[in-house]
Amino acid sequence: MTDSSSPLALTLAERTRAVLGRRNLVFVGLMGAGKSAIGRMVAHQLGLPFVDSDTEIERVSRMSISELFATYGETEFRALETRVIKRVLRGGPKILSTGGGAFINDKTRRQIERGGISIWLKADLDVLWERVNKRDHRPLLKTENPKQTLEKLMQDRYPIYERADLTILSRDVRKEVISAEVLEAVIAYLSESRKSHG
């Protein structure tokens, strides 16, 4: 283990586990925001299972996300996504990272709201573009001007992502920094909600 497992870091993870109980943590946000990378790290720190909803969808359908979009269209894909996320959220605690459109879909968002604490990893356009333009597997970016498409997605989706329980700024710092901010935010959020319900 590295230096990041100093007593302070351990205490942070232990404190998070203590307040989390059986709840799931669900990462939402646009492609490239770091949902899988940060989700995996948080899961590792908390000793909890990590599930990526896109990977799970590909596993159950035996098709890639791109193939699903091409074969069935977005509406059918979203219906499948809702079913998969609902199943994953049964029996926590788990860490779940969702596809960019999941939280935008009303049905899926209701599942997430019922089934866990939603964490929006918010990033600005340049950070997202830097991360997504290197790879060619994003069905929604197969357009004439992918950067413009990404900007349009931000304009459409950010007002809905804002409904998430927590917002963490995803930026170009070490993943450990972001994951620590996630843990601190979860502790603060659950301590606060405990007070208001107590």
Side-chain angles (χ1 to χ4, degrees):
M1 279 192 141
T2 59
D3 239 26
S4 66
S5 61
S6 64
L8 187 66
L10 276 180
T11 321
L12 188 57
E14 285 167 353
R15 280 164 52 215
T16 310
R17 277 304 299 268
V19 293
L20 195 59
R22 307 290 306 158
R23 295 177 191 86
N24 298 296
L25 295 181
V26 184
F27 286 93
V28 305
L30 265 187
M31 57 186 93
K35 300 181 300 279
S36 294
I38 300 301
R40 267 195 196 90
M41 178 163 275
V42 167
H44 176 72
Q45 288 170 326
L46 297 180
L48 293 175
F50 171 76
V51 181
D52 180 303
S53 67
D54 280 355
T55 305
E56 191 61 13
I57 289 163
E58 291 181 337
R59 191 182 67 77
V60 298
S61 66
R62 296 198 176 94
M63 292 170 86
S64 73
I65 301 296
S66 297
E67 287 167 342
L68 285 165
F69 262 80
T71 310
Y72 298 108
E74 187 168 2
T75 307
E76 279 300 307
F77 172 78
R78 295 297 169 207
L80 172 61
E81 182 176 55
T82 302
R83 291 195 299 275
V84 166
I85 286 174
K86 182 179 181 180
R87 184 173 50 75
V88 169
L89 289 173
R90 283 193 202 120
K94 290 186 193 102
I95 310 300
L96 171 65
S97 130
T98 61
F103 200 67
I104 305 307
N105 180 297
D106 290 340
K107 284 183 179 160
T108 313
R109 190 169 61 253
R110 280 198 295 274
Q111 295 298 338
I112 292 169
E113 284 164 355
R114 278 192 213 118
I117 296 163
S118 51
I119 301 164
W120 174 26
L121 289 181
K122 179 182 184 179
D124 68 30
L125 180 62
D126 290 337
V127 169
L128 292 175
W129 179 245
E130 181 58 33
R131 293 173 183 174
V132 300
N133 77 357
K134 298 182 184 82
R135 296 162 73 187
D136 185 36
H137 68 291
R138 313 273 187 184
L140 294 177
L141 292 186
K142 291 189 191 309
T143 60
E144 295 266 317
N145 187 335
K147 188 171 185 181
Q148 201 174 11
T149 305
L150 185 62
E151 190 168 15
K152 175 83 170 74
L153 282 170
M154 289 174 73
Q155 289 163 0
D156 293 345
R157 292 179 172 185
Y158 275 26
I160 299 173
Y161 291 143
E162 279 171 4
R163 301 183 200 175
D165 297 315
L166 299 169
T167 300
I168 301 291
L169 193 61
S170 178
R171 56 213 189 275
D172 284 326
V173 294
R174 287 169 60 235
K175 287 188 297 228
E176 289 82 356
V177 174
I178 308 280
S179 63
E181 286 176 8
V182 168
L183 299 186
E184 284 161 2
V186 168
I187 292 169
Y189 173 76
L190 288 172
S191 306
E192 197 50 50
S193 69
R194 196 179 282 175
K195 272 184 221 151
S196 59
H197 290 96

